[in-house]
């Protein structure tokens, strides 16, 4: 599924910043963290444009994460096995 297909199904992509992610995770009672570009920027203090945000969670907590976000979002998870 390409970007135009995703936009046709779900609407335009909206920017999510770290503070927005924290608000979205409010009430999620498992550890989570920001990774990817935002985390590198925070560590290296090198600013750049971001189009998305990456959240990390432990695999064992995935059922709680899916339950938390499923009420508001269509949840997709990628994995390669048990």
């Amino acid at each position: 599924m390409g970007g135009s297909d995703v936009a046709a199904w779900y609407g335009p992509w909206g920017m999510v910043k770290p503070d927005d992610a924290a608000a979205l995770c409010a009430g999620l009672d498992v550890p989570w963290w920001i990774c990817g570009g935002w985390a590198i920027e925070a560590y290296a203090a090198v600013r750049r444009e971001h189009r998305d945000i990456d959240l990390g969670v432990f695999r064992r907590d995935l059922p709680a994460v899916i339950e938390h976000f499923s009420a508001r979002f269509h949840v997709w998870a990628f994995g390669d096995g048990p």
Side-chain angles (χ1 to χ4, degrees):
M1 181 181 297
S4 60
D5 297 320
V6 171
W9 277 89
Y10 303 108
W13 190 266
M15 168 64 94
V16 177
K17 296 181 179 177
D19 289 344
D20 302 323
L24 290 169
C25 291
L28 179 59
D29 196 25
V30 300
W32 63 271
W33 55 92
I34 295 173
C35 47
W38 282 103
I40 292 169
E41 180 176 309
Y43 178 76
V46 176
R47 299 200 43 95
R48 66 175 192 79
E49 180 182 343
H50 301 276
R51 294 184 178 204
D52 66 357
I53 194 162
D54 302 299
L55 297 180
V57 298
F58 293 114
R59 181 181 291 209
R60 68 174 185 248
D61 296 327
L62 194 53
V65 173
I66 291 171
E67 182 179 340
H68 178 79
F69 286 109
S70 289
R72 295 178 56 190
F73 300 101
H74 185 126
V75 178
W76 294 61
F78 175 79
D80 63 352

